[in-house]
Amino acid sequence: MKTLNKQDVIDILYGCAVLGTGGGGSLTEGLQIMEDDFINNREIKLLDVHEVADDAYIATPYGCGAPKKEHEELDEKYKNLPKIKDIPSILALKKLEDYLGQKFVAVSSTELGGANTAEALHIAALLGIPIMDADPAGRSVPELSHSTYFIKNVPIAPMAVATEFGDVIILPDVVDDLRAEEIVRAIAVVSNNLVGVVDHPTTAKIYRESVIIGAISYAQKIGQILRVAKEQGKNVAHEIAQSENGKILFEGIIDKMPWECTSAFNIGEIHITGTGIYINDIYKIWFKNENLMSYKNNKIDVTCPDLICLFGKDGMPITNPDAKIGAEVVVIALSAPDIWKTKEGLACFSPRYFGFDIDYAPFEI
């Protein structure tokens, strides 16, 4: 087990924001979440999957919904509702422990994202338990079924859903992960587009057979590359792509960004006009919370499950709600974890799943 210091955590969250591919929640929010733990000197521990007993229980807490723009105001219809002190996923976790009569010895992140991974780290710190050095996505993903748990047939239920207003729903059973997605999103739609969820309560034995091992350490590595590149005045996007066998896809200026929040998803496009060596080219990214499809000069370039990552001129990863017209950006691709490239992985997370008439093909360096 490793105790994480403040810089470790910051590196992890920056790396998660890169691997969030435009989703995973706000990095600023994630850092703010963790600041409370830094101020109060709470221990934050990272646990290797092989350091926990087979029969010990692990749970996966996270926020689910459509990330908001920074400083976005609360909708009028929610302003008279009570607000809980705990973050919703902690309330959900406590209620799920009560329901199961089982304490969780550790938590797992549900995806790698600036806010969602911070939420799991924060919950672990508040409860005095470690976070696992693993993840069931290895990136950010838009839907609950986009999970290695789903590929490995690990039941999502029993699960708990809580709102920031104190509502709690326990789901002892659901038909499957796809149905769970519909139910949770429906609750989010009437709950300021965000709920806390805890699902996949499972033994450590099943957990280690079902996840991407070492995912948090990988995010930390990406964050360290980002930090060092900024300190040395290097191009962050180029450094990460070179280090991780990725590819620079495009550089330019965002000139259009049509999108909408629908059914608790941010869905839209980012249009980029080329600069430098790309001066005569155009680029487009299609996203559903996360960047999932990209086109160069109107031809398919890179698709999910590979990662399409957007950086600002300052080297900071950009989440889609905070992308701005006129911003100078760099787009890179990173390879998806191997499990997503299997037949089972592509069945639930590939262009065809999202309605595009094209098969996945790995990008070429």
Side-chain angles (χ1 to χ4, degrees):
M1 189 183 306
K2 175 184 177 183
T3 299
L4 302 173
N5 62 35
K6 182 176 181 178
Q7 187 61 63
D8 293 334
V9 172
I10 292 172
D11 286 342
I12 287 169
L13 294 185
Y14 271 82
C16 285
V18 173
L19 300 171
T21 64
S26 162
L27 172 61
T28 300
E29 179 185 335
L31 293 170
Q32 288 173 345
I33 288 170
M34 296 310 301
E35 190 61 34
D36 180 65
D37 298 311
F38 302 148
I39 291 170
N40 288 284
N41 295 313
R42 297 190 186 105
E43 278 198 321
I44 304 168
K45 296 182 178 180
L46 185 66
L47 184 63
D48 186 277
V49 296
H50 301 291
E51 293 181 303
V52 58
D54 285 354
D55 59 354
Y57 266 75
I58 297 164
T60 304
Y62 54 95
C64 182
K68 300 176 182 59
K69 294 180 181 179
E70 288 185 27
H71 312 302
E72 185 174 341
E73 294 217 1
L74 186 68
D75 192 293
E76 198 67 38
K77 66 184 176 182
Y78 301 119
K79 287 187 176 178
N80 292 325
L81 295 178
K83 294 288 291 289
I84 61 173
K85 292 182 180 180
D86 278 341
I87 55 177
S89 48
I90 281 196
L91 176 60
L93 185 143
K94 291 176 178 177
K95 292 295 184 180
L96 190 58
E97 282 187 330
D98 291 343
Y99 173 79
L100 294 171
Q102 178 75 53
K103 287 289 185 182
F104 299 116
V105 303
V107 299
S108 172
S109 56
T110 188
E111 65 177 4
L112 301 180
N116 265 341
T117 305
E119 191 161 337
L121 285 161
H122 183 51
I123 289 169
L126 286 172
L127 298 176
I129 58 178
I131 186 171
M132 302 302 296
D133 188 6
D135 182 84
R139 50 163 293 157
S140 283
V141 289
E143 301 178 20
L144 272 61
S145 58
H146 299 143
S147 162
T148 59
Y149 292 137
F150 184 64
I151 296 172
K152 296 290 187 176
N153 296 312
V154 178
I156 195 170
M159 61 188 298
V161 183
T163 76
E164 61 185 310
F165 313 114
D167 313 295
V168 182
I169 301 96
I170 299 288
L171 298 168
D173 298 288
V174 291
V175 174
D176 57 24
D177 291 39
L178 300 175
R179 178 64 179 155
E181 170 71 35
E182 292 180 340
I183 293 169
V184 171
R185 291 286 169 181
I187 299 169
V189 165
V190 295
S191 305
N192 196 29
N193 275 333
L194 186 65
V195 291
V197 184
V198 179
D199 63 23
H200 293 97
T202 189
T203 63
K205 182 178 188 301
I206 294 173
Y207 177 81
R208 73 172 66 97
E209 294 170 351
S210 310
V211 293
I212 298 165
I213 295 172
I216 302 296
S217 290
Y218 178 62
Q220 184 177 0
K221 178 185 178 184
I222 297 291
Q224 289 170 338
I225 295 169
L226 186 154
R227 172 168 52 84
V228 172
K230 284 180 72 68
E231 290 171 352
Q232 296 179 351
K234 296 180 179 179
N235 187 303
V236 170
H238 287 243
E239 290 296 306
I240 291 174
Q242 183 176 20
S243 171
E244 301 308 308
N245 294 316
K247 181 181 181 180
I248 301 296
L249 301 178
F250 203 72
E251 298 185 14
I253 297 173
I254 297 176
D255 62 9
K256 188 166 55 174
M257 195 175 170
W259 67 285
E260 62 180 349
C261 181
T262 178
S263 301
F265 288 105
N266 291 328
I267 300 176
E269 299 173 348
I270 300 172
H271 295 251
I272 308 168
T273 299
T275 57
I277 64 172
Y278 304 97
I279 190 68
N280 296 316
D281 301 313
I282 58 173
Y283 210 78
K284 181 176 76 173
I285 298 170
W286 181 83
F287 61 86
K288 182 177 183 179
N289 283 7
E290 284 74 34
N291 302 325
L292 301 174
M293 304 284 292
S294 71
Y295 304 77
K296 185 176 182 180
N297 297 328
N298 298 315
K299 294 183 179 179
I300 287 288
D301 193 18
V302 175
T303 77
C304 61
D306 285 335
L307 287 70
I308 303 164
C309 310
L310 194 65
F311 293 83
K313 183 180 180 181
D314 60 357
M316 290 290 290
I318 297 176
T319 51
N320 291 329
D322 298 311
K324 293 179 173 59
I325 293 173
E328 295 183 48
V329 297
V330 181
V331 188
I332 73 168
L334 296 174
S335 185
D338 289 342
I339 191 168
W340 287 122
K341 301 175 188 178
T342 64
K343 178 181 177 181
E344 296 79 9
L346 292 173
C348 68
F349 193 38
S350 68
R352 291 194 181 278
Y353 177 89
F354 295 100
F356 295 90
D357 187 19
I358 183 173
D359 290 320
Y360 163 74
F363 67 87
E364 296 180 2
I365 298 175

